[in-house]
């Protein structure tokens, strides 16, 4: 049985393809170029995701602070919520 990986399917595809095409320089260069472009986009999305998680946590603290003391009515605060689906 192979060890588990946390790579997405696209990253796994590029990694495996590069491994098998290492001796075919032209194909390997093109795969590497596409892989780097994909990784750049993935990094942008990951940063956006993490930024929104931090914002949601920060705003959740404000909501808890205001709701717990009865200062604000339900649904009257404009905040960001973050949902994650597994």
């Amino acid at each position: 049985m192979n060890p588990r990986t946390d790579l997405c399917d696209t990253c796994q595809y590029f990694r495996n393809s590069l491994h098998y095409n290492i001796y075919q320089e032209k194909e390997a260069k093109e795969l590497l170029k596409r892989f780097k472009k994909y990784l750049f986009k993935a990094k942008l999305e990951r940063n956006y995701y993490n930024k929104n998680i931090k914002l949601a946590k920060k705003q959740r603290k404000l909501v808890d602070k205001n709701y717990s003391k009865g200062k604000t009515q339900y649904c009257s605060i404009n905040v960001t919520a973050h949902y994650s689906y597994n």
Side-chain angles (χ1 to χ4, degrees):
M1 187 176 271
N2 291 338
R4 299 184 105 187
T5 178
D6 63 349
L7 295 177
C8 72
D9 291 341
T10 305
C11 287
Q12 190 68 45
Y13 164 78
F14 280 121
R15 190 177 119 191
N16 291 342
S17 296
L18 284 168
H19 177 74
Y20 293 119
N21 289 316
I22 192 128
Y23 298 109
Q24 298 162 345
E25 188 175 340
K26 185 177 180 180
E27 289 85 358
K29 282 184 178 181
E30 179 59 31
L31 277 170
L32 188 59
K33 180 180 170 184
R34 289 176 43 215
F35 191 25
K36 286 181 179 181
K37 187 176 181 179
Y38 175 78
L39 288 176
F40 177 76
K41 289 180 182 180
K43 185 177 180 179
L44 287 176
E45 286 191 34
R46 185 174 49 249
N47 290 341
Y48 177 78
Y49 179 82
N50 288 330
K51 179 182 161 196
N52 281 308
I53 289 173
K54 287 179 185 178
L55 177 63
K57 285 180 180 181
K58 181 181 173 184
Q59 291 184 349
R60 179 61 196 204
K61 288 179 184 177
L62 292 173
V63 169
D64 288 342
K65 180 180 169 183
N66 289 319
Y67 282 143
S68 65
K69 295 181 182 180
K71 294 179 183 178
T72 309
Q73 298 217 359
Y74 184 68
C75 291
S76 62
I77 298 176
N78 184 17
V79 295
T80 299
H82 180 81
Y83 293 95
S84 180
Y85 300 97
N86 292 337

